[in-house]
Amino acid sequence: MTAGPDRAVAERLDAEDPIGWLRDRFVLDDPGLLYLDGNSLGRLPAATVTAMAVAVQQTWGHQLVRIWQEWIDVGQRVGDRLGQALLGAAPGQVAIADSTSVNLYKLAAAALDARRDRRVVLTSADNFPTDRYVLEGLAAARGLELRLLEPPGPDPIDAATVAPHLGQDVALVSLSHVSYLSGAIADAPAVTAAAHGAGALVLWDLCHSVGAVPVELDAWEVDLAVGCTYKYLNAGPGAPSFLYVRRALQERLRQPIWGWWGQRDQFAMGQAYDPEPGIARFLVGTPPVLAVVPVGVGVDVLAEAGLPRLRAKSVALTGLTVDLWESWLRPHGFALASPREPSRRGGHVALGHSRAYGVSRALLAAGVVPDFRPPDLVRLAPAPAYTRFVDVWDAMDRLRRLLEGGRHLLFDEAPGRVT
């Protein structure tokens, strides 16, 4: 076992961190807690507390229904801010609404309706469960084939992975840009181009991408995308999702849930459904106004630092994690389940171990918050907005010490309902 980087290295990196000040924008009420689960639930921005108080007390409490003139297009306004700051999307193509699962269903169904002469939906066998379930349900209801790519291990999905499965029968390719398991970054531009070459539409899941890695939806000519806001965007548990529809497709697609918020002049209460022009036609019901407020705050907090600096720090944080894995954890049976090359790796590092769940529980008991994914992965996500390099060093140090002492063997390996 090698010594690995000294803690002084982490201290120096923190001292030189050009966005170290961003940590002060977050509520840190337990300084001793080492939080490495930002890819499941981000920390609370301090500005969100104030913004929510204003929204509840001054707008809802004082203005009551009179404030609807301001609220009516809140999903599109915040969507535009998100699109320009973090998605490479020009205005009028992103909206905040519903959950990721519901948005995925809406966009996938719309895409399949636009390709009725094709019988195949293509996704990966290791795609996030809700994606696979939604696509499986759509395929079953329509008598289509759900074709599953075998994942290329910890390597990213690229055009070579997808090309053998493309043909004139494929209607939709739906994949995650960053794997929720390995953290591998798919080659979205190349995969999108390959799918378009075969005449298919493409729908990307950006849940583990937005706020963590560069995304250029317009430049990549992506058709459709969805993503959540409670991970790296720090919008809170159950925060509403976003959807993206390329402007050229908006008038050609009709989503399947015809709700009144997607209706033109909804307060005219018309009899027949007449969808709004543009991105608004992909909305359904009354927007969750209070829940959208933290999304806007989360976007603004990250935009203050800028995605290039966030990404550079993320690469350095996960790089330190990998270095310490090799020096300290590899001898204890941990395998690297993420790409080694930083440009192919997203915002988290996945480590494989035969007793991964016990290790996760032992880490929690030691004041480190990781994430377990069955059957054998411990995920460590040092979100760059608020994680220090010494946090990573200390967390990995606690992990190696509990392994050396066998403390992970004291915990039950049967996961609970929430892992």
Side-chain angles (χ1 to χ4, degrees):
M1 185 181 299
T2 59
D6 190 84
R7 194 175 191 275
V9 173
E11 293 171 349
R12 175 179 56 79
L13 290 170
D14 282 328
E16 298 172 352
D17 181 7
I19 57 171
W21 50 266
L22 195 61
R23 177 179 169 87
D24 295 333
R25 300 288 194 272
F26 292 84
V27 174
L28 304 169
D29 60 359
D30 186 356
L33 184 71
L34 303 177
Y35 191 71
L36 299 181
D37 201 10
N39 64 334
S40 289
L41 178 65
R43 284 189 177 272
L44 171 64
T48 298
V49 179
T50 303
M52 287 299 290
V54 170
V56 171
Q57 296 170 4
Q58 296 183 23
T59 54
W60 175 21
H62 177 65
Q63 296 284 352
L64 293 171
V65 76
R66 295 171 294 178
I67 199 66
W68 264 113
Q69 291 294 338
E70 179 181 326
W71 283 345
I72 192 167
D73 62 353
V74 65
Q76 296 98 296
R77 290 202 314 271
V78 175
D80 282 346
R81 282 155 57 191
L82 170 59
Q84 291 181 287
L86 300 172
L87 297 176
Q93 300 177 105
V94 179
I96 311 297
D98 304 312
S99 68
T100 304
S101 300
V102 172
N103 282 333
L104 185 78
Y105 173 83
K106 292 189 298 187
L107 297 192
L112 293 175
D113 283 344
R115 293 290 188 272
R116 287 185 179 273
D117 58 332
R118 294 172 175 244
R119 310 302 301 166
V120 175
V121 181
L122 182 62
T123 189
S124 62
D126 67 341
N127 203 355
F128 190 74
T130 202
D131 298 54
R132 289 185 282 108
Y133 302 157
V134 167
L135 297 173
E136 182 181 7
L138 282 167
R142 295 161 183 250
L144 306 179
E145 174 192 349
L146 180 62
R147 187 175 296 169
L148 299 178
L149 297 169
E150 284 304 316
D155 294 324
I157 291 175
D158 56 17
T161 310
V162 174
H165 304 275
L166 293 173
Q168 297 305 307
D169 56 348
V170 177
L172 175 66
V173 177
S174 182
L175 298 165
S176 288
H177 180 222
V178 172
S179 167
Y180 86 102
L181 291 171
S182 70
I185 304 175
D187 189 346
V191 170
T192 299
H196 286 169
L201 292 171
V202 184
L203 168 55
W204 287 102
D205 182 329
L206 304 178
C207 285
H208 286 268
S209 306
V210 61
V213 301
V215 176
E216 294 291 341
L217 294 178
D218 287 354
W220 298 345
E221 298 186 342
V222 166
D223 301 312
L224 308 162
V226 298
C228 65
T229 62
Y230 50 79
K231 300 181 190 298
Y232 297 102
L233 291 187
N234 309 296
S241 166
F242 66 87
L243 58 83
Y244 165 91
V245 181
R246 181 158 54 96
R247 189 182 304 279
L249 288 175
Q250 290 174 6
E251 305 301 317
R252 293 160 49 192
L253 299 182
R254 179 169 287 197
Q255 61 110 341
I257 308 176
W258 293 7
W260 81 306
W261 219 258
Q263 166 78 353
R264 191 191 308 264
D265 297 326
Q266 62 260 59
F267 283 97
M269 308 296 178
Q271 284 293 324
Y273 182 69
D274 179 22
E276 281 268 17
I279 194 67
R281 67 175 49 206
F282 296 92
L283 304 178
V284 180
T286 307
V289 175
L290 297 181
V292 175
V293 170
V295 180
V297 175
V299 171
D300 292 344
V301 169
L302 296 192
E304 193 175 354
L307 189 56
R309 293 197 294 181
L310 287 164
R311 175 59 177 164
K313 183 178 177 182
S314 176
V315 167
L317 286 165
T318 57
L320 177 61
T321 306
V322 171
D323 289 344
L324 293 172
W325 156 78
E326 186 159 38
S327 299
W328 296 346
L329 304 184
R330 195 172 190 174
H332 287 287
F334 270 97
L336 181 63
S338 293
R340 185 66 182 264
E341 185 180 340
S343 64
R344 294 156 64 91
R345 185 177 65 236
H348 71 270
V349 174
L351 302 175
H353 193 275
S354 60
R355 296 187 64 89
Y357 185 68
V359 169
S360 295
R361 303 311 296 175
L363 274 172
L364 282 170
V368 180
V369 182
D371 186 40
F372 166 75
R373 283 294 174 264
D376 60 357
L377 291 182
V378 177
R379 300 189 307 178
L380 303 174
Y386 46 75
T387 307
R388 300 171 301 184
F389 290 92
V390 293
D391 295 336
V392 169
W393 197 98
D394 290 344
M396 298 294 276
D397 182 53
R398 291 184 197 180
L399 176 51
R400 71 161 167 169
R401 290 179 187 277
L402 70 86
L403 291 169
E404 290 167 358
R407 278 178 282 164
H408 63 297
L409 302 175
L410 303 176
F411 291 83
D412 189 356
E413 276 295 309
R417 184 176 179 186
V418 178
T419 59

